[in-house]
Amino acid sequence: MLKQRFITGIILAPLVIAGFVLLDSLWFAVMVGAIVTLAAWEWARLAGITAQVGRVAYAGLVALLLIGLYLVSWPPYLLWLSLLWWLLALVLVLQYPEGRALRAGLLPLAYGLAVLLPAWAGLVWLRAQHGGLWLLLAAVVMVWAADIGAYFAGKSLGKRKLMPRVSPGKTLEGLLGGVLLTQLLAVGAMLYLNWSASSILAGMLGTLVVVLFSVVGDLTESLFKREQGLKDSSNLLPGHGGIMDRIDSLTAAIPLFALGWFLFGSLLG
């Protein structure tokens, strides 16, 4: 398993990094859209669709919606809708395993649209901004740092389970470790950029919100995997599981980071 993870990472990481650095506008949207479409194929399984034709049809629907969003220059309220969805997702996580009516029928398929479309939109919008590559890097590093801090704090100090019915491996100490590391990195970066004291306080609050909701993104995917009795969203990435297993935190963090920058980015610094 470790060898598979290493080989997959060595192959994919340079390709993804090159895409983020070298591509912009249309081709960046296409690259991210391809990743999101594959994630949609996986989400259909998490939503209870086992037939391959149904999963492919759902992925095709998501691809068409992405094309439509790109052509009409999607409005910012899509990011507000994402905020509403992640608040609902928080309710789903906190209620689990109760609240089954909120996860029945076609609702999980609709949830998939709320997870994937704003994530794509947020990435494309951030990349198009002045200094967009650095904004993307900030958002991704924030999530990675939260994961790293949570892993080491959880391994060394973890005793109290965070949400044992949804994800037994996560601990409260791990969550706090991830929050602490991201706050330290954010403050260091803002001091380096000579931000004002008020901007630093706002940046710390924004970082906290994004990190906490990135955990909600992770827990939400865990919830739907548990509902379907799955360990991984797929086996598309040998040694890593599926694409959703790698981007679940980002699907929540990216649109909320983009919304925060849309609302307050011009005021910071």
Side-chain angles (χ1 to χ4, degrees):
M1 182 65 71
L2 183 60
K3 180 180 179 181
Q4 286 183 325
R5 288 175 67 90
F6 179 76
I7 293 174
T8 302
I10 287 294
I11 294 173
L12 291 183
L15 294 176
V16 173
I17 292 171
F20 271 65
V21 173
L22 300 177
L23 301 178
D24 57 14
S25 189
L26 174 61
W27 290 111
F28 180 79
V30 170
M31 181 195 75
V32 177
I35 296 172
V36 168
T37 299
L38 289 173
W41 176 77
E42 294 177 341
W43 186 273
R45 187 184 181 206
L46 300 183
I49 296 180
T50 55
Q52 195 63 248
V53 63
R55 297 173 65 189
V56 171
Y58 184 73
L61 171 64
V62 168
L64 289 174
L65 290 173
L66 294 179
I67 293 171
L69 286 174
Y70 189 85
L71 292 177
V72 301
S73 300
W74 59 272
Y77 65 69
L78 184 62
L79 297 177
W80 283 107
L81 292 176
S82 178
L83 174 60
L84 294 177
W85 151 246
W86 287 113
L87 289 172
L88 173 60
L90 177 60
V91 173
L92 292 175
V93 169
L94 292 176
Q95 284 188 340
Y96 192 79
E98 288 77 28
R100 188 167 296 276
L102 289 174
R103 306 189 301 275
L106 297 177
L107 283 176
L109 293 175
Y111 296 158
L113 300 181
V115 168
L116 297 171
L117 298 183
W120 173 89
L123 281 168
V124 173
W125 184 83
L126 285 170
R127 187 65 178 87
Q129 303 311 299
H130 177 70
L133 182 58
W134 293 107
L135 291 175
L136 286 178
L137 179 64
V140 172
V141 167
M142 193 182 299
V143 173
W144 284 350
D147 285 343
I148 292 170
Y151 176 81
F152 284 104
K155 282 289 186 182
S156 58
L157 303 172
K159 293 180 180 179
R160 287 166 288 190
K161 299 296 184 181
L162 181 64
M163 293 291 298
R165 294 179 296 181
V166 177
S167 184
K170 288 184 172 54
T171 63
L172 179 59
E173 292 81 3
L175 173 63
L176 295 176
V179 168
L180 177 60
L181 180 57
T182 52
Q183 289 292 315
L184 291 174
L185 289 176
V187 170
M190 291 183 286
L191 288 173
Y192 176 78
L193 295 171
N194 292 317
W195 282 24
S196 66
S198 60
S199 293
I200 289 176
L201 289 175
M204 292 176 67
L205 177 59
T207 298
L208 176 63
V209 171
V210 170
V211 167
L212 291 179
F213 273 96
S214 75
V215 177
V216 176
D218 189 335
L219 290 171
T220 300
E221 195 218 359
S222 295
L223 182 155
F224 283 100
K225 285 194 294 187
R226 186 164 290 271
E227 284 279 275
Q228 300 301 325
L230 301 172
K231 182 179 183 295
D232 298 315
S233 57
S234 77
N235 58 358
L236 283 178
L237 306 177
H240 291 268
I243 290 175
M244 278 301 307
D245 297 319
R246 302 276 64 83
I247 68 169
D248 49 8
S249 298
L250 287 169
T251 58
I254 290 295
L256 296 186
F257 183 94
L259 178 61
W261 196 259
F262 173 76
L263 294 174
F264 307 112
S266 61
L267 304 177
L268 299 176

